[in-house]
Amino acid sequence: MQAQAFAPRLIAWQALNGRHDLPWQVNDPYRVWLSEIMLQQTQVSSVLEYYPRFVTRFPDVQQLAAAPQEEVLALWSGLGYYSRARNLHRAARMVVDAFGGRFPETREALETLPGVGRSTAAAIAAFAFNARETILDGNVKRVLTRVFGVEGWPGERNVEKALWTLAESLLPEDAASMPAYTQALMDLGATCCTRVRPACTRCPFAADCVAHQQARTAELPAARPKKVQPTRYATLLLACHGGRVLLERRPPAGVWGGLMSLPELPAGELSEAWLAQLGTGEVLPAWPEFVHVFTHFKLVITPQPVEVDALAPRAADDTRQWLTPEAAIEAGVPTPVRRLLEALSSGTLSVSHQIST
DNA sequence: AAGCCGGGGAG
DNA sequence: CTCCCAGGCTT
């Protein structure tokens, strides 16, 4: 893909397939700025409900600057990211007070307005002033990583820097086409090069797109690395006597809430209090620990078998029961507990580390 | 560099 | 439920 071929092909595509009737597609820096702020991390369909009301109430930057902040926030209510509204109001006052009521025309100067970062400033400069500045939003990152096969998560500093450089190298030569080109970048990402199931058959770059040619549109852009889950540790007690094992109903809230389970010793140690409850017996060697993964943490479980000399008295309610492993499984237990009970009933003396879910 | 902001849509 | 969206600001 030649860099100089990118913009003309994209603009030609946009002329026939792009969006041309969005209400903020006007040559007015105030309305462009307002729409760009509203569209930050917010989908077009949502902004379409708010933007008309806002420009009706505040037709120009002077009237916005003169309004009380509460009224601005009220019109923003429901859009989310309310610091955008506060910054919007501050920026309007800055335009009036510091720039004489006229928006600055360069990307660099626009970036001094609160709430206007590099990409938003570039969008305003390109749409309103034909500046040869590139945007780099989520749509553009997706298009560029796919077409040019850029590896790595775009949130990573080096990857993002490379994308800015790449995006700048693709700008059209003639400044007059900057509005159409910028809109085309957004439109391609929003309507064709979508996050899932992109419409590559309708894409002007399909023949050159690295992701499409390698059938890797699902892998590019690379997803955010998953956060390392916090680790918790627990000992699950396998108290056995006469072919039965002690089960305990867990508290209603929290992990495995309300389910029957093996008694859990939080500290990872076999406590004296627990042994006393069970009377006398023999503590057997612990089984190998294994990991159970939850959505928000991982639990390292140490199964601790104990052969007790007699069955402790059954509690009045059903919070504690001595059951055969088979009956316990039947009662409904969490998956890792079921695996342990299965190992117990099959007479296995140790559990493989491969137990996990 | 990572966390935060927020409501909503898609899968 | 997760992940992301026309990102920017703070720590």
Side-chain angles (χ1 to χ4, degrees):
Chain A
M1 183 78 215
Q2 297 291 326
Q4 67 266 30
F6 185 83
R9 204 190 297 179
L10 187 58
I11 292 169
W13 173 88
Q14 207 273 339
L16 294 177
N17 305 285
R19 299 174 290 191
H20 301 278
D21 47 7
L22 294 170
W24 45 84
Q25 289 177 327
V26 293
N27 189 15
D28 174 359
Y30 168 70
R31 299 192 177 206
V32 171
W33 162 68
L34 173 62
S35 71
E36 290 301 327
I37 301 300
M38 284 188 168
L39 285 159
Q40 286 171 359
Q41 297 291 286
T42 306
Q43 295 181 345
V44 168
S45 59
S46 297
V47 174
L48 283 173
E49 302 172 19
Y50 286 81
Y51 177 86
R53 284 191 293 143
F54 210 97
V55 291
T56 297
R57 171 61 186 84
F58 303 118
D60 54 52
V61 70
Q62 284 81 8
Q63 297 194 47
L64 175 58
Q69 191 193 66
E70 307 82 72
E71 195 172 352
V72 178
L73 287 170
L75 273 177
W76 203 272
S77 176
L79 255 188
Y81 282 104
Y82 297 98
S83 64
R84 292 185 297 174
R86 292 188 293 272
N87 285 333
L88 187 85
H89 195 213
R90 286 175 50 207
R93 293 185 166 173
M94 191 182 298
V95 169
V96 169
D97 296 339
F99 292 98
R102 302 180 63 87
F103 275 82
E105 302 190 3
T106 67
R107 192 258 294 177
E108 189 175 19
L110 286 161
E111 278 188 68
T112 66
L113 298 175
V116 178
R118 178 171 175 181
S119 186
T120 300
I124 301 168
F127 280 130
F129 304 114
N130 290 4
R132 290 186 67 255
E133 298 280 357
T134 186
I135 60 169
L136 187 63
D137 58 25
N139 282 326
V140 182
K141 288 174 180 174
R142 189 169 55 249
V143 169
L144 296 189
T145 54
R146 283 177 175 166
V147 173
F148 296 93
V150 178
E151 307 287 345
W153 177 51
E156 193 181 338
R157 175 181 288 272
N158 290 339
V159 178
E160 182 164 19
K161 188 177 178 184
L163 287 171
W164 276 112
T165 302
L166 174 60
E168 286 186 318
S169 75
L170 302 173
L171 287 172
E173 304 268 345
D174 57 321
S177 57
M178 278 308 300
Y181 173 78
T182 304
Q183 187 65 50
L185 276 178
M186 296 171 170
D187 289 351
L188 189 71
T191 69
C192 179
C193 192
T194 50
R195 188 165 70 89
V196 292
R197 280 199 260 288
C200 299
T201 57
R202 295 192 285 105
C203 179
F205 303 116
D208 306 285
C209 176
V210 171
H212 179 57
Q213 292 302 317
Q214 300 181 0
R216 293 177 60 216
T217 55
E219 299 163 29
L220 293 173
R224 165 196 287 272
K226 298 203 174 188
K227 284 184 297 188
V228 178
Q229 307 287 16
T231 302
R232 294 196 217 162
Y233 297 85
T235 298
L236 291 184
L237 195 65
L238 287 160
C240 302
H241 178 82
R244 289 170 183 265
V245 61
L246 180 61
L247 272 292
E248 187 177 69
R249 188 169 299 280
R250 296 182 62 89
V255 171
W256 301 332
L259 283 180
M260 293 300 290
S261 179
L262 294 166
E264 176 185 340
L265 309 182
E269 294 289 330
L270 196 52
S271 76
E272 300 299 326
W274 258 104
L275 281 179
Q277 286 185 55
L278 299 174
T280 60
E282 182 186 2
V283 178
L284 302 172
W287 291 359
E289 66 181 26
F290 63 98
V291 179
H292 183 74
V293 179
F294 291 88
T295 53
H296 48 304
F297 68 95
K298 66 177 185 176
L299 184 64
V300 178
I301 298 171
T302 302
Q304 177 59 64
V306 175
E307 180 65 38
V308 300
D309 295 333
L311 295 183
R314 177 172 175 170
D317 53 20
D318 68 344
T319 57
R320 283 191 192 173
Q321 298 182 30
W322 290 92
L323 299 173
T324 65
E326 295 79 9
I329 292 171
E330 197 71 18
V333 293
T335 298
V337 173
R338 178 171 56 78
R339 301 264 168 86
L340 287 172
L341 293 169
E342 287 169 354
L344 193 66
S345 66
S346 68
T348 313
L349 291 181
S350 67
V351 177
S352 153
H353 281 86
Q354 293 165 359
I355 289 184
S356 63
T357 53

